[in-house]
Amino acid sequence: GAGVSQSPSNKVTEKGKDVELRCDPISGHTALYWYRQSLGQGLEFLIYFQGNSAPDKSGLPSDRFSAERTGGSVSTLTIQRTQQEDSAVYLCASSLRLTGGNSPLHFGNGTRLTVT
Amino acid sequence: QQQVKQSPQSLIVQKGGISIINCAYENTAFDYFPWYQQFPGKGPALLIAIRPDVSEKKEGRFTISFNKSAKQFSLHIMDSQPGDSATYFCAASNSGSRLTFGEGTQLTVNP
């Protein structure tokens, strides 16, 4: 079956503009995660959704960042008034359930965001 | 207590050599320890995982060694190949929690 799909694969935007990044998780996966990866750096957790529970937003770096997950499937990460330090690869992952058991994360290939 | 510390940050190995990446954790409730492999331009992918009821797990050239008392686990890549050049992330979690990732190790295997 299809893996996690992210769009666009690349996005160049001007400082101050808003951007929306989309993630289509694997069908049936109840948990969805967003991570940020700066050049050559590790995985910075942003937010995750688990079923109908309230999302864990503890990793969002500022109130310019928000995310939603509609119908328990597709998720959109929105960055308002983008800044140059927002430039990074934004990775989405999904898992059958909240990882801790035999439920590995499946990552998409990310959206490379460049803020000029 | 949720941190997972990974070392080294980068590693260069000759073809045929052994690559060793180490991770340490604090949270004794962690009970699932996966390793992810990431190639340039791709998302990380699960490579191998271990639970603390065993001290070692081997899949092909990849082995996880787990030391529960020391709260450490490591990835060994035997007979390293240029195609193994990638970034490797260790991670840990327990039931009901999301994965906590290490900082990553950039492995380069020279031909």
Side-chain angles (χ1 to χ4, degrees):
Chain A
V4 176
S5 178
Q6 292 189 244
S7 61
S9 55
N10 283 283
K11 176 72 176 178
V12 180
T13 190
E14 292 180 353
K15 177 181 173 181
K17 301 283 190 182
D18 297 352
V19 294
E20 285 189 353
L21 312 179
R22 177 187 170 103
C23 173
D24 282 270
I26 294 174
S27 178
H29 280 193
T30 64
L32 185 148
Y33 314 75
W34 284 97
Y35 289 87
R36 180 168 69 175
Q37 187 172 32
S38 300
L39 186 63
Q41 300 299 309
L43 301 168
E44 178 187 5
F45 166 74
L46 297 177
I47 185 171
Y48 85 79
F49 300 86
Q50 169 60 29
N52 296 319
S53 302
D56 178 349
K57 304 179 182 180
S58 61
L60 295 178
S62 78
D63 59 8
R64 296 186 296 105
F65 288 72
S66 63
E68 63 176 20
R69 188 178 186 190
T70 54
S73 181
V74 172
S75 177
T76 302
L77 177 69
T78 301
I79 309 173
Q80 296 179 308
R81 304 181 302 282
T82 52
Q83 303 294 312
Q84 288 186 329
E85 60 263 28
D86 299 334
S87 297
V89 175
Y90 289 81
L91 291 162
C92 176
S94 70
S95 63
L96 193 59
R97 55 185 175 276
L98 184 61
T99 302
N102 294 319
S103 187
L105 263 62
H106 297 262
F107 282 86
N109 288 329
T111 293
R112 180 176 297 277
L113 175 66
T114 303
V115 182
T116 61
Chain B
Q1 198 178 18
Q2 287 297 109
Q3 285 187 325
V4 176
K5 293 198 176 295
Q6 183 172 347
S7 63
Q9 188 173 17
S10 62
L11 180 62
I12 300 175
V13 174
Q14 291 300 117
K15 178 181 175 181
I18 302 174
S19 304
I20 302 175
I21 305 170
N22 301 297
C23 284
Y25 63 97
E26 290 294 324
N27 188 346
T28 55
F30 284 152
D31 62 4
Y32 175 64
F33 303 90
W35 285 87
Y36 281 76
Q37 179 188 54
Q38 184 182 29
F39 293 107
K42 302 292 186 182
L46 178 66
L47 182 64
I48 186 173
I50 198 169
R51 292 198 173 276
D53 52 346
V54 296
S55 60
E56 185 175 283
K57 183 174 182 180
K58 183 176 181 179
E59 291 184 3
R61 295 184 295 107
F62 300 90
T63 299
I64 300 179
S65 296
F66 185 80
N67 186 330
K68 188 173 182 178
S69 61
K71 293 185 286 186
Q72 296 176 346
F73 59 109
S74 60
L75 176 69
H76 296 235
I77 306 174
M78 311 300 287
D79 187 26
S80 299
Q81 299 297 311
D84 298 330
S85 297
T87 300
Y88 293 81
F89 293 96
C90 63
S93 69
N94 57 280
S95 297
S97 79
R98 60 176 173 81
L99 280 175
T100 297
F101 284 93
E103 299 88 348
T105 296
Q106 188 164 352
L107 172 65
T108 302
V109 182
N110 287 329

